[in-house]
Amino acid sequence: MTADETHRAVLAVWRIEQPRLITSLARMVRDVPLAEDLTQEALLAALEQWPLAGVPEKPSAWLMATARRRALDHLRRRRMLERKNEMITRDMEAEQQAMPDLDSALDDDIGDELLRLIFTACHPACPARPAPRWRCG
């Protein structure tokens, strides 16, 4: 079979099978635009492989099997990404809980203990005392 005949065979099967592929995939993935994309991917696979390997005995079954495999791959990939996103979210939440809360220290009137001691000792309400004289020996 020539490349031109193969191309015509792909298009003939495509015209007949496209609606059935889309409806079947839409039920499977519950997303019509995604089902259309997956159907287009199956057509591209047929356009790439059929000229090399020849038109299969049951071209409609070949298209359906290819489209379903791609849909399953998509669903698996989506589930894996959801699991990874959940893991990342849990890790980030655990990391945030493990980190010290630096913002609460900023909310404190005086965050530094030495600074607190200085303000306490030098508060205007405290009586003023003369500085002590140190005597050695």
Side-chain angles (χ1 to χ4, degrees):
M1 194 177 247
T2 67
D4 191 39
E5 291 172 339
T6 305
H7 186 69
R8 274 190 258 131
V10 169
L11 292 179
V13 171
W14 176 250
R15 281 188 209 108
I16 296 168
E17 294 299 320
Q18 181 188 13
R20 190 169 19 171
L21 287 169
I22 292 173
T23 55
S24 176
L25 292 174
R27 273 189 309 239
M28 187 177 191
V29 296
R30 302 198 186 285
D31 185 358
V32 175
L34 177 60
E36 290 172 346
D37 291 343
L38 294 168
T39 303
Q40 292 290 327
E41 288 179 23
L43 172 65
L44 286 175
L47 288 171
E48 290 171 356
Q49 292 180 12
W50 290 6
L52 301 174
V55 179
E57 285 183 38
K58 298 180 181 178
S60 58
W62 189 96
L63 283 171
M64 183 63 79
T66 302
R68 282 188 177 168
R69 270 190 249 117
R70 299 208 181 210
L72 287 173
D73 289 345
H74 176 79
L75 293 173
R76 287 181 189 130
R77 191 178 318 114
R78 184 190 306 168
R79 273 189 245 128
M80 180 188 62
L81 289 174
E82 287 173 359
R83 282 193 308 250
K84 285 187 177 185
N85 285 337
E86 289 172 6
M87 285 175 34
I88 289 171
T89 302
R90 273 188 263 121
D91 289 348
M92 288 178 66
E93 287 173 354
E95 205 172 286
Q96 281 183 337
Q97 290 176 354
M99 292 177 74
D101 189 14
L102 300 175
D103 291 338
S104 66
L106 294 173
D107 293 340
D108 193 11
D109 290 337
I110 304 167
D112 188 16
E113 293 296 322
L114 178 61
L115 190 59
R116 183 180 303 207
L117 177 65
I118 291 171
F119 277 117
T120 303
C122 299
H123 195 275
C126 293
R129 296 188 203 165
R133 293 187 181 179
W134 297 98
R135 293 186 187 175
C136 296

